[in-house]
Amino acid sequence: MNSSYPRWADFPDRILDVGFVGRWWVLGARMRDYDINDDEFLHLPAHLRIVGPHQLQLEANELLFDEKYKPVVLTDDQVNQALWEDQVLQKEKDQLALSQPDSLLPSEVAR
């Protein structure tokens, strides 16, 4: 008998996972809640310690995630309003700068 071939008795020990119906069953069971430290949630009231599937709102979150990659489209009125607001702010800054006394520059102090 050649020792390089695995024996049938060793076969179950050599299986890492079983893929069936679109998921990995062994890894799925082992990785469930693997990163959750339950001690972090002990201070919460009992009704907040458990999150049910109906609370996840996956579809709404996915739609919001996709929404952020869509381009922002502004109407002409919105663009004009933004330009007008920018001009008003710039005029206010200019007036504020003119109303404040000029600080003396080092060259003016020497005179």
Side-chain angles (χ1 to χ4, degrees), residues 49-77:
R49 290 184 201 160
I50 300 172
V51 177
H54 64 283
Q55 295 170 314
L56 296 177
Q57 302 172 356
L58 295 175
E59 292 177 15
N61 289 341
E62 288 178 9
L63 290 175
L64 287 173
F65 181 80
D66 292 338
E67 190 75 23
K68 72 179 182 183
Y69 291 109
K70 292 182 180 177
V72 176
V73 179
L74 300 176
T75 64
D76 289 338
D77 292 338

Side-chain angles (χ1 to χ4, degrees), residues 15-63:
I15 295 177
L16 295 177
D17 202 348
V18 176
F20 182 70
V21 191
R23 66 177 275 211
W24 294 102
W25 292 87
V26 175
L27 285 176
R30 288 183 180 166
M31 298 297 283
R32 184 173 299 125
D33 299 334
Y34 75 97
D35 63 342
I36 296 176
N37 182 0
D38 292 326
D39 295 338
E40 291 180 21
F41 302 102
L42 290 178
H43 69 282
L44 294 175
H47 70 281
L48 293 178
R49 290 184 201 160
I50 300 172
V51 177
H54 64 283
Q55 295 170 314
L56 296 177
Q57 302 172 356
L58 295 175
E59 292 177 15
N61 289 341
E62 288 178 9
L63 290 175

Side-chain angles (χ1 to χ4, degrees), residues 1-8 10 14:
M1 181 175 200
N2 190 346
S3 62
S4 64
Y5 291 104
R7 296 187 317 240
W8 283 103
D10 296 335
R14 298 175 61 91

